[in-house]
Amino acid sequence: SLLFHYLSSSPKCVELTRLWASHADNRASHIFLALVRTIRAIIEFNFFPAFKPTVRLLCSDLLKRRMKVIYSLLASHKSVLVIATLQLLRAVVTTNSFALAADVIELFHWTFKPLSTIAHWREAKEGEKSATSKRQQRRDKKEQRGKEKERAKEKTFEADVRTHYVRFVLAFLKS
């Protein structure tokens, strides 16, 4: 309901676009991550007919004016930012607008080097061994034991970067 009230009072989302512009240089901040997720939520909020123009406006703004930032987020090597960006792009593609999906296909730089990395980026599963020395593996195991106890408390399933990339690409088939 908060999102509904915001969109009712600011249909052009001027505040969000200003926030994007002001935080574009500090893309690693939690504020920027929250901003990307908020814009994705607005785009996914597309099922109200009254907000369709707002969604189209946000999507076209992303595709025509914000792609440089999108590319830098995809190249950031931070899985949280890459996943949030892929989710945002998938939301744009799945807006039930063939024109927006066609714009993404046309405007997106598919030969962008980090995309090949993203397509193969899997998070290391527990129990996998790296190609390091046994001494280093023992040190890593000691550090991991402490981290595993913390992770066990808050562990929830989250898909890896490659899975989100595949979902983004498959979204074109759905739209």
Side-chain angles (χ1 to χ4, degrees):
S1 70
L2 180 65
L3 187 58
F4 182 82
H5 290 293
Y6 172 70
L7 291 175
S8 298
S9 66
S10 180
K12 291 188 178 182
C13 300
V14 176
E15 299 83 7
L16 289 177
T17 54
R18 284 184 188 156
L19 269 173
W20 182 287
S22 67
H23 286 283
D25 294 334
N26 189 12
R27 294 177 200 112
S29 73
H30 295 290
I31 294 172
F32 199 77
L33 179 63
L35 181 63
V36 169
R37 289 177 175 165
T38 302
I39 291 172
R40 185 195 85 219
I42 290 171
I43 292 170
E44 289 175 345
F45 200 63
N46 190 29
F47 54 86
F48 282 107
F51 299 129
K52 285 187 186 275
T54 301
V55 169
R56 277 192 220 110
L57 181 72
L58 271 176
C59 291
S60 64
D61 183 57
L62 281 172
L63 293 175
K64 293 186 173 105
R65 299 169 79 200
R66 315 281 181 208
M67 287 307 287
K68 187 175 182 180
V69 176
I70 299 266
Y71 292 134
S72 68
L73 290 172
L74 290 173
S76 69
H77 299 292
K78 295 181 180 178
S79 61
V80 176
L81 287 174
V82 173
I83 288 171
T85 306
L86 289 170
Q87 289 173 336
L88 176 65
L89 288 170
R90 187 181 65 201
V92 171
V93 171
T94 59
T95 57
N96 295 326
S97 170
F98 179 73
L100 281 173
D103 283 348
V104 173
I105 289 173
E106 182 181 327
L107 297 172
F108 196 77
H109 185 63
W110 294 101
T111 58
F112 184 56
K113 254 188 176 178
L115 282 182
S116 63
T117 305
I118 291 171
H120 301 344
W121 188 352
R122 287 265 189 204
E123 298 294 323
K125 305 273 190 237
E126 289 184 35
E128 283 185 14
K129 293 183 180 178
S130 60
T132 58
S133 68
K134 289 185 178 188
R135 181 183 294 169
Q136 182 65 37
Q137 286 179 359
R138 278 186 250 136
R139 278 189 229 142
D140 290 344
K141 281 184 183 181
K142 286 181 183 179
E143 290 177 17
Q144 258 185 345
R145 286 182 198 138
K147 290 178 184 177
E148 284 176 13
K149 289 178 184 178
E150 292 175 18
R151 280 189 225 147
K153 294 178 185 176
E154 59 189 43
K155 189 171 185 176
T156 57
F157 175 76
E158 186 174 315
D160 60 4
V161 175
R162 181 179 179 201
T163 303
H164 285 281
Y165 178 73
V166 169
R167 288 177 183 169
F168 165 59
V169 173
L170 288 177
F172 289 102
L173 297 175
K174 292 180 182 178
S175 61

